Amino acid sequence: MAQDTYWGSFEEISKYNVSLNYFERLWLAWYTYMQNDILATGIMSFVMHEAVYFGRSLPWIIIDAIPWFRRYKIQQQKIPTAWEQTQCALLVLFSHFTVELPQIWLFHPMCQFFGLSTTVPFPSIYKIAFQIAVFFVMEDTWHYWMHRAMHWGPLYKNIHKIHHQYSAPFGLAAEYASPIEVMVLGLGTISSPILWCAITKDLHILTMYLWIVFRLFQAIDAHSGYEFPWSLHHFLPFWAGAEHHDVHHERFIGNYSSSFRWWDILFDTEAGPEAAKKRRDRKLAAAKKTA
């Protein structure tokens, strides 16, 4: 039974659902208290998105202000100013409210139509991990082709150029882009779970939340502008990371993938000195064979 307060609902649910863990009871209490699944999902999704985006960006803002970390900065002479950070945050907020909020709000009814689950208990950690891994691959594929298309003359000039305002990116700039670009590239993040749900009829909204969290971490870290000895691509060579994406911003071409490197490798769109050297070596090898 719904109560007048959220915690009243939580206490009532806890009495009769002892088999649920603490987080599952918190979850059930929220949906019970709200009495409107679409509203409950919409509010929780948007608040989570803002908290994660700006919460994850904050450490990078602090790091940018500490000179000791300059040794790990990829483009060491380009440190974002306080005004650049503020200007970036304002445009990102505008984009969040005008473009991403409608997408977030429409997600629940669309997925519910295909069988989205919001109930408890939660799915197993193994199922969640597997589905998120699939979403990363799906989104990366969408992102590669859409991002590459954005570098075609008219699309770059009228849409994508805004994102390249900063040739040395920083965390907050991950979603600093034209509303059209935010909608198009963001569609890969949202449509991947929707497509999965439509085909398999097996998706829990918690998996979607965790996917969004990981995707935001990936995007913000890729724009951080810092390369550390412990950066993930040192352990997973196919992971893109900041080193991969920073070159894209510096050279304005190549390295179009978001999370992985394989599309850039497969279609020879890697950028940077190492990629250029590999191309030269291949040309020399080919020339020797024909000589």
Side-chain angles (χ1 to χ4, degrees):
M1 296 291 292
Q3 301 294 311
D4 293 335
T5 66
Y6 168 74
W7 289 111
S9 293
F10 176 76
E11 290 175 4
E12 190 72 14
I13 284 169
S14 297
K15 291 178 184 177
Y16 303 105
N17 295 273
V18 293
S19 62
L20 300 178
N21 64 43
Y22 184 75
F23 294 105
E24 289 170 337
R25 281 179 278 148
L26 287 172
W27 180 279
L28 183 57
W30 171 248
Y31 279 92
T32 303
Y33 170 67
M34 291 299 295
Q35 291 290 291
N36 184 318
D37 287 358
I38 294 176
L39 188 61
T41 298
I43 292 173
M44 185 156 55
S45 300
F46 189 68
V47 170
M48 179 209 70
H49 181 275
E50 298 308 286
V52 172
Y53 187 85
F54 290 101
R56 181 55 188 158
S57 297
L58 182 60
W60 296 116
I61 295 173
I62 295 171
I63 286 172
D64 277 331
I66 301 174
W68 186 86
F69 285 102
R70 297 288 190 277
R71 68 192 72 187
Y72 299 116
K73 180 74 172 170
I74 298 171
Q75 300 184 55
Q76 296 183 359
Q77 306 305 316
K78 298 179 181 180
I79 307 299
T81 64
W83 168 242
E84 286 177 326
Q85 301 262 18
T86 302
Q87 183 187 38
C88 178
L90 290 174
L91 181 67
V92 166
L93 277 170
F94 175 77
S95 178
H96 285 181
F97 278 93
T98 58
V99 180
E100 296 193 21
L101 182 57
Q103 286 183 330
I104 289 172
W105 218 264
L106 288 171
F107 174 79
H108 185 108
M110 288 182 66
C111 268
Q112 198 168 44
F113 175 78
F114 293 119
L116 176 76
S117 173
T118 60
T119 59
V120 289
F122 295 146
S124 72
I125 187 75
Y126 303 105
K127 177 183 283 190
I128 291 173
F130 172 74
Q131 291 179 348
I132 289 175
V134 171
F135 299 159
F136 262 112
V137 174
M138 293 173 70
E139 188 283 330
D140 184 71
T141 302
W142 172 269
H143 190 101
Y144 175 84
W145 290 107
M146 291 301 101
H147 187 191
R148 187 172 176 178
M150 288 286 181
H151 278 262
W152 175 59
L155 292 181
Y156 181 84
K157 180 181 178 181
N158 296 297
I159 299 174
H160 191 51
K161 189 175 180 180
I162 295 175
H163 185 65
H164 278 275
Q165 178 176 327
Y166 305 108
S167 59
F170 49 92
L172 268 176
E175 293 183 354
Y176 182 87
S178 157
I180 296 174
E181 179 175 346
V182 172
M183 182 175 64
V184 171
L185 294 184
L187 193 60
T189 302
I190 299 297
S191 63
S192 296
I194 292 176
L195 182 61
W196 174 269
C197 188
I199 295 173
T200 68
K201 310 295 182 184
D202 182 18
L203 180 66
H204 196 283
I205 190 71
L206 175 65
T207 306
M208 176 65 179
Y209 286 156
L210 292 174
W211 153 239
I212 293 295
V213 169
F214 283 118
R215 175 71 179 102
L216 285 173
F217 267 61
Q218 178 276 322
I220 293 166
D221 290 357
H223 286 82
S224 68
Y226 287 87
E227 166 70 8
F228 298 106
W230 55 86
S231 293
L232 185 57
H233 77 91
H234 292 300
F235 308 97
L236 295 176
F238 54 84
W239 186 254
E243 178 266 339
H244 181 265
H245 195 65
D246 205 277
V247 172
H248 172 78
H249 274 263
E250 183 180 15
R251 297 172 180 266
F252 298 94
I253 194 168
N255 290 6
Y256 300 115
S257 296
S258 57
S259 299
F260 308 112
R261 297 174 183 247
W262 48 59
W263 287 116
D264 283 301
I265 294 171
L266 182 61
F267 290 99
D268 197 25
T269 52
E270 285 188 291
E274 290 185 14
K277 183 179 182 301
K278 289 178 182 178
R279 290 190 188 95
R280 286 195 301 270
D281 291 343
R282 285 200 300 268
K283 287 181 180 179
L284 287 172
K288 289 179 180 179
K289 286 183 179 179
T290 57

